[in-house]
Amino acid sequence: MTLLAAITSSAANPAAGGGPVAHPIVLTPGAAPPPPTSSALPTPIPPSAWTLAPADPTLPKAASFLAASLTSCSSLPRLRTLLNSFFAALSQSLSLPPPPPALPAATRALAPYFPAALASLVASKAASFAEFDVIFALAESRRLPHPPADLISTLSDNDRADLVCSVLRQAADLRSSEILAALCFFLSPGTNKAYDAMMRVKGRWKDAAVLAVQKCREKGPGKMKVDAAARQAALLLMMGHDGFSSPEVCLHYLFASGNVDSVVLGAAVAELNGGEVVRLMRYLNKWIGKYQRFPEAQACPEAVGMLGLEQCDSVPSFGAVIRALGVLLDNHFSHLVLSTEVREELMAAEVMVRQLAVEAESSGPILDLLRRLQHDK
């Protein structure tokens, strides 16, 4: 029996083959194969048939109306009405849930969709009406990377140290006038209310340090990475808390910012008076002593992500401290050298910097060797 006869016979009598055949193969000599049931490539759509849904004009109109209305807004109730109207239009245009009735809560809920250009205008107008809850909601949501020029000075005049720290923490660029306003506010608190606000900021650092220590003591599976981050965070928070006064803790937010240019900082530092220069020198000297005592301290971004300890991002690095000290000496060297009350601290800072420089120089060959070994691997 030929192969063709065997196949056709098996297809005709499935029982003879020992069982049913689900998909019999039938070969017909000379017949064309059947067409495929579906094409491998999709049917092309001509470009003339492409269409886009029309953009919703509601949101641009609402944003333009809010920006234009803020310039002429002259009362706090009017500001609240404008913001509530814009938030309702924003939620409707983006198919979001209705905003909460409270204005600060609505600001936090819609902050990810809030235009950055409008956030600066809203913050400026809210500061003029002392609507600080809205400013805090915007700053907490990181919607003020470019704060208005008068915001820090207005917050300082109203003794809102917590808001000044929040704005400094996220600012992408700072003008010399803003840096000067923050320096004068922290180095020379004018009222007891301002000092009390700075004490509350330091209290949050203490709470964060206690939380980091508690995380270090927790035991359980998979805790090695968290424990290492908690230990590093506890060290950083201890360095930033112990030995610093409440106004000095607030200074951390300014010098920890990586967006403060040395030239702009120098223009602000040059305007400080003698007492403020001495206090700033002592503040920077404390940091040099901390890094000399704890050279293993380094930035710990994991502490913010895993543990929620945002204060760890506001610890000035050793490089930032040295740059600030250099700027201070460049602008006020004569005053610092001739001042009897700071001369000893200046000499102590010189000794510590020299020791750290010698240690860094001696560690250079070892670091080069380690890099070469890692590269060879």
Side-chain angles (χ1 to χ4, degrees):
M1 180 182 294
T2 63
L3 177 60
L4 177 60
I7 294 175
T8 54
S9 175
S10 176
N13 301 309
V21 179
H23 302 284
I25 301 176
V26 180
L27 298 179
T28 304
T37 56
S38 62
S39 176
L41 297 176
T43 304
I45 302 176
S48 58
W50 296 354
T51 58
L52 295 176
D56 186 5
T58 305
L59 183 56
K61 289 182 179 179
S64 300
F65 178 76
L66 176 62
S69 301
L70 285 175
T71 58
S72 59
C73 181
S74 58
S75 65
L76 180 57
R78 174 60 176 167
L79 174 64
R80 292 174 176 172
T81 301
L82 289 173
L83 291 178
N84 286 326
S85 177
F86 175 74
F87 288 156
L90 181 63
S91 301
Q92 182 179 5
S93 178
L94 300 179
S95 300
L96 299 174
L103 195 56
T107 304
R108 290 187 182 89
L110 298 175
Y113 315 98
F114 203 87
L118 279 179
S120 180
L121 296 176
V122 171
S124 179
K125 186 59 67 172
S128 64
F129 295 133
E131 185 71 356
F132 298 121
D133 290 339
V134 172
I135 301 176
F136 183 73
L138 291 173
E140 192 179 41
S141 304
R142 292 184 171 272
R143 301 308 299 167
L144 294 174
H146 306 285
D150 58 343
L151 181 59
I152 292 180
S153 59
T154 302
L155 296 176
S156 301
D157 294 339
N158 287 273
D159 301 326
R160 292 305 302 262
D162 54 339
L163 289 180
V164 174
C165 294
S166 298
V167 173
L168 291 175
R169 179 173 176 264
Q170 59 166 318
D173 55 348
L174 290 171
R175 307 168 186 86
S176 60
S177 59
E178 296 172 315
I179 297 176
L180 178 61
L183 286 173
C184 294
F185 180 50
F186 294 143
L187 294 173
S188 302
T191 63
N192 292 332
K193 181 181 177 182
Y195 196 87
D196 292 341
M198 296 176 192
M199 289 181 63
R200 289 191 292 271
V201 173
K202 185 178 180 180
R204 290 201 292 267
W205 279 70
K206 180 180 179 180
D207 296 339
V210 172
L211 178 60
V213 173
Q214 292 176 351
K215 292 289 184 181
C216 293
R217 295 177 178 177
E218 292 180 358
K219 303 297 181 181
K223 295 289 293 180
M224 293 184 61
K225 187 174 182 180
V226 176
D227 183 65
R231 290 179 181 275
Q232 187 64 33
L235 176 60
L236 290 175
L237 294 172
M238 178 272 298
M239 291 173 58
H241 179 273
D242 295 350
F244 288 103
S245 64
S246 298
E248 288 175 337
V249 171
C250 295
L251 280 173
H252 298 347
Y253 292 90
L254 175 61
F255 290 102
S257 175
N259 301 311
V260 177
D261 184 77
S262 298
V263 177
V264 180
L265 178 62
V269 169
E271 300 296 327
L272 298 178
N273 59 37
E276 292 167 346
V277 169
V278 171
R279 286 188 284 273
L280 182 57
M281 175 64 198
R282 289 173 176 168
Y283 166 78
L284 297 174
N285 198 20
K286 289 180 182 180
W287 268 121
I288 295 175
K290 291 292 182 74
Y291 277 107
Q292 183 190 32
R293 184 179 178 185
F294 304 102
E296 70 275 13
Q298 57 182 350
C300 184
E302 295 84 2
V304 180
M306 293 191 300
L307 306 177
L309 301 173
E310 62 181 20
Q311 286 82 3
C312 291
D313 274 350
S314 301
V315 175
S317 65
F318 181 69
V321 173
I322 293 299
R323 283 193 297 271
L325 181 60
V327 170
L328 182 64
L329 292 175
D330 288 342
N331 287 275
H332 298 281
F333 181 77
S334 299
H335 176 77
L336 291 172
V337 171
L338 298 176
S339 176
T340 56
E341 57 180 333
V342 78
R343 185 179 302 169
E344 294 183 0
E345 296 184 8
L346 185 61
M347 295 175 63
E350 180 186 8
V351 172
M352 288 186 290
V353 170
R354 284 185 177 180
Q355 292 176 352
L356 291 171
V358 171
E359 183 178 353
E361 184 178 358
S362 62
S363 302
I366 299 177
L367 293 176
D368 291 339
L369 178 60
L370 291 176
R371 292 192 186 98
R372 289 179 180 273
L373 291 175
Q374 292 176 354
H375 180 71
D376 293 340
K377 289 182 179 180

